[in-house]
Amino acid sequence: MNRYILEKYSELISELKFTINRKEFPVFKFGDETDPAEYSFPWKPVGIPSTVQISEEKREKQRNSRELANFPCTLCAGKIAGIRNYFQIGRIPILVLHYSGSTSPKEKPFIKKQAKQIFRDKVTEVTWADLIQKTFGFSFEEFFYEEYPACTFSSVEFVESDWQKRVEACKIHLEENIKEFGIKAVLVLGSSARLIFGAEKAKEILGKEILWEIGGKQIPLLTLRSPEALVFLEEKSKKVDSESNLFQYGKEKHELEEVFIQHLTQIKKYL
């Protein structure tokens, strides 16, 4: 036994000497494995990214930055900044388009101070929340919300052609959000409706369900007045100096609320 071991040691030492002299060290492997020497590792230099690649990378950056204060979009001239959290994700595939930016010199510039803020003030949010609760029986936060357009601009003079260019350019973000989240219907409120369709057209289709072409597809759309209209009547009622005027404003507010609910009911089939 000892002689057998010595012979094996002798063979190992002899092979080791031969291996050292050749300066090659074999790698242990199983019989069904490929020899390392047979692997090929081709190298290709990184080329200049194509226009399509650059565009897609930019698009992905924008999708991932929906909650940033300065939304990284450069499609429109005169942009001051992107509106903070311009797109808010909900659970029910109904998208509400609105605009908290200024569209005329009479409107004060506005910047959202809270991440989940939708409207300019809490009173409007509470009013909208009440309408949604009465109509559908759930929270207004179940819907998706998007500022449209998604930015504020340096010139707030209402030049219709400028705003038409802005909403048309911003449509690319709208198309992506509708596609990504499977949106089934769109609600357009107040000033956003006026910017998209113009004052006359927005008034003509108020409360009427139409089909809107987005990204080559048609999606149901319903135009509503802004809930700020109800807030306005409420504020007016607080300043009246007679019971008859108070009754009149209260009546107008109730009637307008009923109109809101009647219009909103049309989208129940898409829930």
Side-chain angles (χ1 to χ4, degrees):
M1 184 65 180
N2 290 337
R3 182 178 179 179
Y4 173 78
I5 294 175
L6 289 173
E7 287 177 354
K8 287 298 180 182
Y9 269 120
S10 177
E11 290 176 9
L12 288 171
I13 293 171
S14 176
E15 290 181 4
L16 179 60
K17 182 179 179 181
F18 176 75
T19 300
I20 293 173
N21 288 337
R22 290 188 60 186
K23 297 182 180 180
E24 293 182 3
F25 296 88
V27 177
F28 175 81
K29 64 182 182 65
F30 293 103
D32 58 347
E33 292 181 327
T34 304
D35 192 293
E38 296 179 9
Y39 279 103
S40 176
F41 298 96
W43 177 82
K44 292 182 179 180
V46 178
I48 299 174
S50 66
T51 304
V52 175
Q53 288 175 311
I54 293 174
S55 177
E56 184 54 37
E57 288 174 2
K58 183 178 180 181
R59 187 81 348 105
E60 187 61 29
K61 181 180 179 183
Q62 290 173 343
R63 279 194 290 266
N64 294 333
S65 304
R66 284 185 278 234
E67 296 185 4
L68 295 180
N70 294 310
F71 180 63
C73 179
T74 57
L75 294 175
C76 299
K79 168 186 171 178
I80 296 177
I83 298 177
R84 182 182 184 186
N85 202 29
Y86 91 95
F87 183 73
Q88 296 193 34
I89 298 174
R91 184 183 64 84
I92 295 173
I94 302 296
L95 175 62
V96 181
L97 300 182
H98 62 104
Y99 187 58
S100 63
S102 301
T103 59
S104 73
K106 296 180 181 179
E107 297 177 347
K108 295 181 180 179
F110 175 73
I111 298 176
K112 292 181 179 180
K113 296 180 180 179
Q114 298 177 6
K116 292 296 183 181
Q117 187 171 358
I118 297 174
F119 302 102
R120 280 175 167 251
D121 53 63
K122 189 67 176 177
V123 178
T124 304
E125 181 179 295
V126 170
T127 300
W128 177 249
D130 188 50
L131 287 171
I132 299 302
Q133 184 66 43
K134 287 180 178 178
T135 308
F136 305 107
F138 53 70
S139 169
F140 73 101
E141 294 178 322
E142 296 287 337
F143 288 156
F144 289 73
Y145 292 86
E146 180 169 349
E147 295 273 357
Y148 194 71
C151 299
T152 55
F153 298 91
S154 57
S155 175
V156 294
E157 294 289 343
F158 191 84
V159 180
E160 189 168 352
S161 59
D162 290 342
W163 287 103
Q164 285 178 346
K165 291 176 183 177
R166 291 163 184 169
V167 295
E168 189 62 31
C170 200
K171 189 177 284 188
I172 190 169
H173 305 308
L174 177 60
E175 291 173 2
E176 289 178 348
N177 291 334
I178 288 175
K179 182 178 179 181
E180 182 177 349
F181 294 96
I183 300 300
K184 293 182 178 179
V186 174
L187 292 175
V188 190
L189 306 182
S191 58
S192 190
R194 184 182 65 161
L195 295 178
I196 296 170
F197 300 108
E200 291 302 317
K201 179 69 173 179
K203 185 177 181 180
E204 178 186 333
I205 62 175
L206 180 66
K208 300 176 182 178
E209 183 183 319
I210 65 171
L211 291 177
W212 194 30
E213 187 169 330
I214 294 287
K217 296 182 179 181
Q218 292 188 322
I219 187 168
L221 177 143
L222 183 67
T223 299
L224 301 174
R225 294 183 66 180
S226 169
E228 291 176 347
L230 283 170
V231 176
F232 174 77
L233 289 175
E234 177 66 26
E235 293 301 315
K236 291 285 287 185
S237 68
K238 294 177 181 178
K239 298 177 182 179
V240 298
D241 54 3
S242 67
E243 290 187 8
S244 61
N245 288 337
L246 177 62
F247 174 79
Q248 182 61 32
Y249 282 124
K251 179 182 178 183
E252 290 179 11
K253 181 186 175 185
H254 176 73
E255 290 175 349
L256 181 56
E257 185 177 280
E258 290 299 311
V259 170
F260 265 105
I261 294 174
Q262 180 183 350
H263 290 167
L264 284 168
T265 301
Q266 297 178 65
I267 68 165
K268 282 188 174 182
K269 55 181 175 288
Y270 300 112
L271 302 181

